[in-house]
Amino acid sequence: MASLKLVLAYSTRVLSTVRKQTNVIYIKRTLFLPRLPFSKRTDGRFINLGRQSSSTAVGAEKGEDSFLKWFLLLIPATTFGLGTWQVKRRQWKMQLIDELNKLTTAEPIPLPLDPHELNNLEYRRVRVRGQYDHSQELYILPRSPVDPEKEAREAGRLSSSGETGANVITPFHCTDLGITILVNRGYVPRQKIRPETRMKGQVEGEVEVVGVVRLTETRKPFVPNNDVERNRWHYRDLEAMSHVTGAEPVFIDADFGSTIPGGPVGGQTRVTLRNEHMQYIVTWYGLCAATSYMWYAKFIKRIKV
């Protein structure tokens, strides 16, 4: 609403300024118009050239008013177009969110070994069976715990739970596939990052894990570089992680059902996308309605703005 008030105030000042400048131009034309002599025609009648000049000035005034009228109409037309574009963007975003929700709630499938097939399966649930290698844990931090219900309610807001910790990434040897992959076991608070503080959750033996396929990340602006030597990772670089652990560049987020009591809390996949398009729709259509009324009042009803 603040942006709406700002645009309305600006449009009012523009109309007022243009009107004042137009009046000044016509005043100058009237004051500085030289006294023109009467011209005598062949039939003996005289023509008042000053009156003809006044008619020319009036015609120019109408031409300038017509140009200003159609030029200012671009404002409501543009805001209407932007509002319609946001409607289409919102439909696309809602469809994308629905597709992601379907992927993350579908029945898990066996993890495929074909890398090309994996590249098309991001957010797809898979099932693997094997053993963790706790001696080569990696830590992605800082991270806050994921609460899917809360994030769905607060989608698009810049908020934080205030609690920070790390996601624990552990190599996982798949006994059924004969390869080692990387599994994000989940979130631990800052005081539980060291393995000795959560020994109860360091499960041994063969377990089954259901998770969501994730692909490698590109470092975003303002995100620090990964510190491999200190084991402080800030984004998901599968090539570097697999080089350090000797695992394949295959990564899954373990779901909440795979959580081991006393260990990291699974289900740390964020699938809620920012969806602020409704706010933009209201803003642009509101500006369109306001500027359309101002244009109608100025040029159709001739109300003084």
Side-chain angles (χ1 to χ4, degrees):
M1 292 304 296
S3 60
L4 177 60
K5 293 179 180 179
L6 181 62
V7 171
L8 290 176
Y10 178 75
S11 302
T12 303
R13 289 199 301 268
V14 169
L15 290 172
S16 178
T17 303
V18 171
R19 185 173 182 179
K20 290 179 180 178
Q21 291 179 349
T22 305
N23 289 339
V24 169
I25 293 173
Y26 297 147
I27 291 172
K28 288 183 177 180
R29 287 177 178 172
T30 304
L31 292 177
F32 295 99
L33 187 66
R35 183 177 294 276
L36 298 174
F38 287 90
S39 176
K40 187 175 182 181
R41 289 169 41 177
T42 54
D43 58 359
R45 297 180 180 180
F46 291 93
I47 301 175
N48 190 341
L49 297 180
R51 182 174 299 175
Q52 288 183 342
S53 298
S54 299
S55 301
T56 303
V58 171
E61 178 182 353
K62 291 182 178 179
E64 291 179 1
D65 278 348
S66 178
F67 171 78
L68 181 63
K69 172 182 178 181
W70 298 115
F71 177 76
L72 291 180
L73 188 59
L74 290 175
I75 297 176
T78 302
T79 52
F80 178 81
L82 290 171
T84 304
W85 176 64
Q86 287 297 328
V87 169
K88 296 183 180 296
R89 289 276 297 173
R90 184 175 184 274
Q91 293 173 349
W92 167 79
K93 184 65 69 65
M94 296 298 291
Q95 182 180 359
L96 183 59
I97 292 174
D98 184 60
E99 291 175 357
L100 290 179
N101 287 331
K102 288 180 179 178
L103 286 175
T104 56
T105 56
E107 284 296 317
I109 62 174
L111 179 69
L113 291 177
D114 186 359
H116 297 290
E117 186 177 355
L118 273 174
N119 289 336
N120 297 322
L121 291 179
E122 187 166 25
Y123 294 108
R124 186 67 169 88
R125 296 181 76 207
V126 296
R127 177 185 288 108
V128 293
R129 189 169 187 83
Q131 295 179 337
Y132 285 112
D133 181 4
H134 301 293
S135 64
Q136 298 193 75
E137 284 185 349
L138 306 177
Y139 309 108
I140 300 180
L141 71 170
R143 288 295 185 269
S144 57
V146 173
D147 183 348
E149 293 183 359
K150 180 180 178 182
E151 294 198 356
R153 291 193 307 267
E154 299 181 354
R157 301 181 188 177
L158 297 176
S159 61
S160 174
S161 63
E163 181 183 355
T164 60
N167 285 350
V168 179
I169 315 302
T170 308
F172 185 86
H173 180 69
C174 302
T175 54
D176 54 344
L177 299 176
I179 63 172
T180 300
I181 65 174
L182 297 170
V183 175
N184 175 13
R185 294 187 62 198
Y187 169 83
V188 293
R190 185 175 295 274
Q191 64 272 18
K192 294 287 187 179
I193 292 179
R194 292 182 300 165
E196 56 268 23
T197 62
R198 45 182 169 83
M199 293 302 297
K200 185 180 178 180
Q202 301 297 82
V203 61
E204 300 291 342
E206 191 171 272
V207 295
E208 183 178 84
V209 176
V210 175
V212 176
V213 175
R214 303 305 308 274
L215 303 181
T216 193
E217 283 182 311
T218 302
R219 188 176 72 89
K220 298 178 181 178
F222 309 111
V223 173
N225 290 313
N226 291 326
D227 190 342
V228 179
E229 294 183 359
R230 297 177 58 195
N231 195 10
R232 298 174 66 88
W233 302 79
H234 301 286
Y235 62 97
R236 196 171 54 250
D237 185 345
L238 297 192
E239 291 296 331
M241 289 179 169
S242 62
H243 178 74
V244 170
T245 60
E248 297 293 327
V250 178
F251 190 104
I252 67 172
D253 287 337
D255 66 4
F256 183 76
S258 300
T259 301
I260 305 297
V265 179
Q268 300 301 308
T269 304
R270 281 186 165 88
V271 295
T272 302
L273 303 178
R274 294 175 66 88
N275 187 7
E276 299 177 327
H277 298 291
M278 181 56 71
Q279 301 176 27
Y280 298 141
I281 291 171
V282 173
T283 299
W284 289 123
Y285 279 154
L287 289 173
C288 175
T291 53
S292 295
Y293 174 77
M294 294 178 65
W295 185 87
Y296 174 78
K298 169 68 178 177
F299 295 106
I300 306 300
K301 294 188 70 175
R302 298 291 179 176
I303 300 175
K304 185 176 181 180
V305 180

